[in-house]
Amino acid sequence: LKVLSMMSLKRSNLCFSIPERNECIKANAKSCGECIQVGVKCGWCMDPEFLKQGEATSTRCDELESLRKRGCSSAMVENPRGSQLVLKDKAVTNRNQGEGKLRPEDITQIQPQKLTLSLRSGEPQSFNLKFKLAEDYPIDLYYLMDLSYSMKDHLENVKNLGTQLMLEMSKITSDFRIGFGSFVEKKLRNPCTGDQNCTSPFSYKNLLTLTRNGQEFNTLVGQQQISGNLDSPEGGFDAIMQVAVCGEHIGWRNVTRLLVFSTDAGFHFAGDGKLGGIVLPNDGKCHLENNMYTMSHYYDYPSIAHLVQKLSDNNIQTIFAITEEFQPVYMELKNLIPKSAVGTLSANSSNVINLIIDAYNSLSSEVILENSKLPEGVTIMYQSRCKNGVTGEGEMGRKCSNISIGDEVFFIISITAKQCPKMGKPETIKIKPLGFNEEVEITLNFICECDCHKHGIENSEICHNGNGTYECGACRCNEGRIGRQCECSTNEVTSEDLDKSCRKDNGTDICSNNGDCVCGTCECKKRENPEERYSGKFCECDNFNCDRSNNKLCGGHGHCECRVCICDANWTGSACDCSLDTTTCLASNKQICNGLLFFVNHNAKFYQASQCETTCVECVQCRAFGTGEKKDTCERDCSYFNLIKVKDRGKLPQPGQAFPLMHCKERDANDCWFYYTYAVNNKTEKEVHVVETLDCPAGLALLLIWKLLMIIHDRREFAKFEKEKMNAKWDTQENPIYKSPINKFQNPNYGHKAVVL
């Protein structure tokens, strides 16, 4: 457990150095089309000569910068980008005072109206949407009233509503129409008694189709009689559903649609119909015959979610005119129905006109965008730029409030595809402001293939006698074929004969344990770090296991190829840490080291031990650190020089002294580096300056610390055990429950004389 905890600590301390995973490489894409669907950072190299020996076809898919570093020119990188095209962009209507009346279809409140987006996976496409609340926009208002017995006093005041409301609404619009309908409850049994002047209950009646004649509204409402109900909640949801879906019967136009719902009671909803033996769910369709809802006894009440959907689909904004008693109930309902408002009716509906005007102003002062169902893998984000500099993001980015007639507000809409649809066909979505008939139609085209795919050669000879399609610089194999040139059948890939060709020097390791044998050819594994790669015929090479200096691969002055540093110009050494520049070693006479010394390393870089005395190396190791081959004979063999320890490499002697100086570095058996200088001073004494601390890899240092701690811990535990053993006082008394296995028996006649007869 201690070992595991220490190793966990080691991992947690080192994890910060692991680069973020390259999603392009991780995807293991076999074709250009698969590659570009991984993400917007990914590109595909089409260069036929791009792959090195041992690299799989999927290695062509990488981040753009990584492809460039690996030698793929920009012209050979396939990296399609998304685009957008506006197809209809009619400007919003600007009406000046005194202009003539416009038809509803000639008024534009949203811009643009139609566009096409081409989407690349992971790349958002954004466009601006403008909304302007038009002046003098037509309004259709339908008054839906509860005619149960408790609404008797309210009915009297509504009888004059038509003309009064027409007068007030004329201040808002010159094109206003009003309609009327009523509801009570599903007719299961007549609750009216003989002495009551009331009609039999009904679910919903459309009494007046939308009209501009306010007097006709007054006359028709004056002819209505109240009805009764068996319980307090009413069947208003049935009526709302029919008003929403029976557009032809109601007479709705493509203008602002208002539904005023007036009641003094609660409501039944889906499931309540079971109380009357009605179990079929509401189908959301129009069932009006002679302006009466005829299927109330057959279908259950609609659910709230069903109502929300139908009201939104038909662009209807709802105003709940409710008595004070049921305000809390309908306020909760309002929170579930977008673009709805609640007003408090007085005891006899005398304030209904002011209620409607206030509710309309409240609804029209807010615009909320909604979109149709999105295709799988597509997301949408909204940002709003509203009046007075107010902004919003996320869900708040869908709406703007406190706008007035003539105000313009703006939305930034971003659409992103995370993947291509299964069929890859274009999809259409719509965005519209709730309660308005106008919408934006957006066609989504998905970039699922690269442009080079169009030029692919089917059954190409390059792909092993026509076993695949040659496209984008690589073979896309036919079903049942694999390999870089589709040279193998899937039934052959595990055969012993093919595996033999993947073993280096007839060894046991397949692809040096760094790859997989596919069709007799090694395909090297990929590393977590996208900059690190295996390569070679047997995946025996890599570009990350070269010598390091100053914790940098190849000292930062070269690159690693097949575990050997290839140094930049003017640098040498196994870790490219020795400079060949001699300018700083030139004396005033332009001779190197004044002609007296040989050039070692003017920048105090360090030679490998092969350039230093081997005997000196072993002696420095044993005298400075107590390790190495001479640690047991150190005093006898290694006292021929003076040893001076320094804290760090900066404290070591530097070139430019009056006597020759050699800088050296060596690696010990634990892969730790130590640094020292060797010189013979003016007194012909040999001096060695050595850095007193070893330069160990971070992981090894932790392991050494752990080992040291374990040794100390084990010694303490053993010492504790020995001490307890010495202090133990053993009791030598016999165990009271011990029973000896030996039993003794004596013959009772033993020792007696025999009787003489």
Side-chain angles (χ1 to χ4, degrees):
L1 291 176
K2 291 176 181 177
V3 174
L4 290 175
S5 64
M6 287 300 296
M7 295 306 290
S8 297
L9 175 62
K10 176 182 174 183
R11 284 195 298 269
S12 64
N13 287 340
L14 296 178
C15 66
F16 65 88
S17 63
I18 299 175
E20 184 180 350
R21 292 200 68 173
N22 184 326
E23 60 178 356
C24 309
I25 293 178
K26 178 184 174 183
N28 200 29
K30 298 296 191 300
S31 67
C32 186
E34 291 181 17
C35 177
I36 63 172
Q37 292 182 49
V38 176
V40 70
K41 295 180 180 179
C42 303
W44 177 270
C45 185
M46 301 182 291
D47 187 350
E49 306 299 324
F50 175 69
L51 296 182
K52 295 181 180 179
Q53 191 173 37
E55 291 184 335
T57 301
S58 60
T59 314
R60 292 180 178 274
C61 182
D62 205 341
E63 293 184 354
L64 302 176
E65 181 62 21
S66 181
L67 290 176
R68 185 190 64 79
K69 289 181 179 179
R70 292 168 58 195
C72 189
S73 64
S74 299
M76 298 301 292
V77 174
E78 187 74 16
N79 180 34
R81 314 304 296 181
S83 61
Q84 54 184 268
L85 177 64
V86 178
L87 302 177
K88 188 177 180 181
D89 194 27
K90 184 180 178 182
V92 294
T93 303
N94 291 309
R95 300 181 65 182
N96 298 321
Q97 192 171 9
E99 285 189 356
K101 185 176 180 181
L102 295 176
R103 296 179 303 171
E105 55 268 27
D106 294 331
I107 299 175
T108 302
Q109 298 183 107
I110 193 168
Q111 180 187 1
Q113 295 80 39
K114 189 174 183 179
L115 66 158
T116 297
L117 302 181
S118 294
L119 299 179
R120 161 91 182 268
S121 294
E123 180 186 26
Q125 287 295 319
S126 301
F127 63 94
N128 294 325
L129 185 148
K130 180 194 294 186
F131 177 85
K132 180 180 180 181
L133 192 60
E135 301 89 339
D136 196 25
Y137 196 70
I139 298 174
D140 284 351
L141 185 147
Y142 192 85
Y143 197 92
L144 183 59
M145 185 173 183
D146 176 8
L147 286 187
S148 59
Y149 196 80
S150 59
M151 292 287 287
K152 182 179 179 181
D153 293 340
H154 296 267
L155 180 60
E156 291 300 320
N157 281 304
V158 174
K159 289 179 181 179
N160 296 320
L161 177 64
T163 53
Q164 296 177 15
L165 191 57
M166 293 288 289
L167 180 62
E168 290 296 326
M169 293 301 288
S170 65
K171 300 175 183 177
I172 299 174
T173 176
S174 60
D175 189 356
F176 176 73
R177 300 195 311 167
I178 189 170
F180 183 77
S182 60
F183 68 92
V184 182
E185 182 58 282
K186 293 181 182 292
K187 184 179 179 181
L188 302 176
R189 184 160 61 89
N190 190 350
C192 295
T193 60
D195 58 345
Q196 289 179 330
N197 182 21
C198 70
T199 61
S200 177
F202 53 90
S203 186
Y204 166 64
K205 287 181 185 178
N206 175 31
L207 297 170
L208 179 63
T209 301
L210 290 164
T211 178
R212 292 184 176 87
N213 190 340
Q215 187 57 48
E216 185 180 358
F217 179 94
N218 294 349
T219 302
L220 193 89
V221 174
Q223 298 171 357
Q224 302 307 307
Q225 289 183 311
I226 54 91
S227 182
N229 192 10
L230 295 173
D231 58 0
S232 176
E234 311 292 2
F237 277 15
D238 272 341
I240 294 176
M241 178 62 76
Q242 293 303 300
V243 172
V245 299
C246 298
E248 292 184 1
H249 294 79
I250 304 301
W252 292 119
R253 298 176 295 170
N254 285 329
V255 297
T256 299
R257 299 175 177 181
L258 301 178
L259 170 61
V260 179
F261 181 84
S262 176
T263 185
D264 64 347
F267 47 84
H268 284 297
F269 53 90
D272 289 352
K274 293 180 180 180
L275 300 174
I278 303 173
V279 295
L280 285 178
N282 195 286
D283 65 351
K285 296 180 180 179
C286 182
H287 295 290
L288 290 185
E289 293 184 12
N290 297 322
N291 288 322
M292 288 284 293
Y293 178 40
T294 58
M295 301 297 286
S296 64
H297 63 289
Y298 192 76
Y299 290 116
D300 193 6
Y301 305 97
S303 66
I304 295 175
H306 201 179
L307 274 185
V308 170
Q309 177 195 347
K310 293 301 180 181
L311 289 171
S312 175
D313 290 346
N314 292 280
N315 305 314
I316 296 174
Q317 304 177 61
T318 310
I319 300 172
F320 294 105
I322 310 299
T323 55
E324 187 173 1
E325 179 184 358
F326 287 92
Q327 278 287 307
V329 175
Y330 282 88
M331 287 299 294
E332 292 296 328
L333 181 61
K334 168 189 173 295
N335 295 334
L336 300 175
I337 302 179
K339 290 296 283 185
S340 63
V342 177
T344 304
L345 272 178
S346 60
N348 56 6
S349 290
S350 59
N351 68 330
V352 66
I353 293 180
N354 291 333
L355 184 153
I356 293 172
I357 298 297
D358 292 343
Y360 169 75
N361 289 333
S362 173
L363 291 173
S364 62
S365 68
E366 183 177 61
V367 57
I368 304 175
L369 297 184
E370 69 166 359
N371 53 267
S372 59
K373 184 178 179 181
L374 298 173
E376 184 178 359
V378 175
T379 59
I380 188 168
M381 295 292 293
Y382 293 87
Q383 292 183 2
S384 59
R385 300 291 183 266
C386 306
K387 188 177 178 180
N388 299 324
V390 177
T391 61
E393 294 184 354
E395 284 302 309
M396 296 305 295
R398 290 176 174 265
K399 67 179 183 178
C400 283
S401 303
N402 300 319
I403 61 176
S404 305
I405 292 176
D407 287 341
E408 290 184 354
V409 293
F410 300 88
F411 298 89
I412 301 173
I413 301 174
S414 298
I415 299 178
T416 307
K418 301 297 183 183
Q419 61 189 36
C420 277
K422 294 180 180 179
M423 302 301 294
K425 295 181 178 179
E427 300 276 357
T428 299
I429 64 172
K430 296 180 179 180
I431 299 175
K432 69 174 185 178
L434 279 172
F436 295 86
N437 64 300
E438 298 178 56
E439 62 189 14
V440 182
E441 182 180 310
I442 306 169
T443 300
L444 305 179
N445 295 317
F446 300 93
I447 303 175
C448 301
E449 283 291 353
C450 300
D451 290 338
C452 56
H453 169 74
K454 303 173 185 177
H455 309 293
I457 304 173
E458 294 184 2
N459 303 319
S460 171
E461 289 297 319
I462 299 176
C463 302
H464 199 266
N465 300 322
N467 284 317
T469 300
Y470 185 73
E471 62 179 45
C472 304
C475 286
R476 179 184 284 192
C477 299
N478 296 335
E479 188 174 354
R481 305 294 299 187
I482 58 173
R484 190 184 287 188
Q485 274 81 42
C486 311
E487 63 270 27
C488 285
S489 168
T490 52
N491 298 324
E492 301 171 351
V493 293
T494 58
S495 67
E496 184 63 26
D497 291 339
L498 292 175
D499 286 349
K500 286 181 180 178
S501 60
C502 294
R503 294 189 176 97
K504 184 178 181 181
D505 300 329
N506 292 322
T508 58
D509 295 336
I510 294 179
C511 300
S512 308
N513 289 329
N514 295 325
D516 300 313
C517 187
V518 181
C519 299
T521 303
C522 285
E523 289 193 359
C524 303
K525 295 178 182 177
K526 298 175 182 178
R527 302 268 300 173
E528 291 281 345
N529 185 346
E531 301 297 328
E532 298 177 354
R533 291 182 176 83
Y534 293 109
S535 61
K537 182 178 179 180
F538 302 101
C539 302
E540 73 278 14
C541 295
D542 63 58
N543 66 347
F544 53 88
N545 271 324
C546 290
D547 286 344
R548 295 174 180 266
S549 179
N550 292 329
N551 204 28
K552 294 180 180 179
L553 189 68
C554 298
H557 302 123
H559 61 279
C560 182
E561 287 187 8
C562 203
R563 303 184 179 181
V564 176
C565 283
I566 307 300
C567 300
D568 297 337
N570 286 328
W571 291 93
T572 188
S574 64
C576 301
D577 55 353
C578 182
S579 175
L580 298 177
D581 186 6
T582 61
T583 54
T584 56
C585 292
L586 293 175
S588 58
N589 59 6
K590 303 300 180 181
Q591 292 185 342
I592 296 176
C593 300
N594 203 28
L596 300 176
L597 299 175
F598 59 89
F599 170 66
V600 179
N601 190 333
H602 73 285
N603 278 333
K605 301 294 181 183
F606 295 85
Y607 282 112
Q608 293 283 8
S610 60
Q611 294 163 299
C612 300
E613 296 181 26
T614 304
T615 303
C616 180
V617 171
E618 295 171 350
C619 286
V620 170
Q621 192 174 3
C622 79
R623 288 190 60 182
F625 308 106
T627 60
E629 296 182 4
K630 290 184 175 293
K631 65 179 181 180
D632 296 328
T633 60
C634 193
E635 186 174 352
R636 183 190 69 192
D637 297 340
C638 300
S639 358
Y640 62 89
F641 60 85
N642 297 325
L643 181 73
I644 301 104
K645 292 185 178 181
V646 297
K647 289 186 177 181
D648 53 56
R649 291 161 60 181
K651 301 294 184 182
L652 289 173
Q654 302 300 317
Q657 302 177 100
F659 47 85
L661 180 69
M662 174 75 76
H663 280 80
C664 299
K665 76 171 183 179
E666 176 58 27
R667 184 156 47 190
D668 64 14
N670 294 321
D671 273 343
C672 295
W673 292 96
F674 59 92
Y675 302 86
Y676 65 95
T677 62
Y678 177 83
V680 179
N681 62 22
N682 294 332
K683 299 178 182 179
T684 68
E685 297 174 339
K686 297 178 179 178
E687 287 185 353
V688 173
H689 289 73
V690 61
V691 178
E692 62 184 5
T693 56
L694 295 169
D695 185 6
C696 299
L700 183 61
L702 288 175
L703 193 59
L704 291 174
I705 293 172
W706 168 79
K707 185 173 180 62
L708 178 62
L709 292 174
M710 289 299 99
I711 292 173
I712 295 172
H713 175 76
D714 290 344
R715 288 179 177 177
R716 287 179 178 175
E717 290 294 318
F718 184 75
K720 183 179 178 181
F721 169 76
E722 289 291 327
K723 184 177 180 181
E724 290 177 350
K725 182 179 177 182
M726 296 291 296
N727 293 335
K729 296 180 180 179
W730 304 102
D731 194 347
T732 58
Q733 293 181 359
E734 186 176 348
N735 190 338
I737 64 174
Y738 173 77
K739 186 176 181 180
S740 174
I742 302 174
N743 292 318
K744 294 181 180 181
F745 299 94
Q746 185 174 356
N747 189 341
N749 294 321
Y750 176 76
H752 291 263
K753 294 182 178 180
V755 178
V756 179
L757 297 176

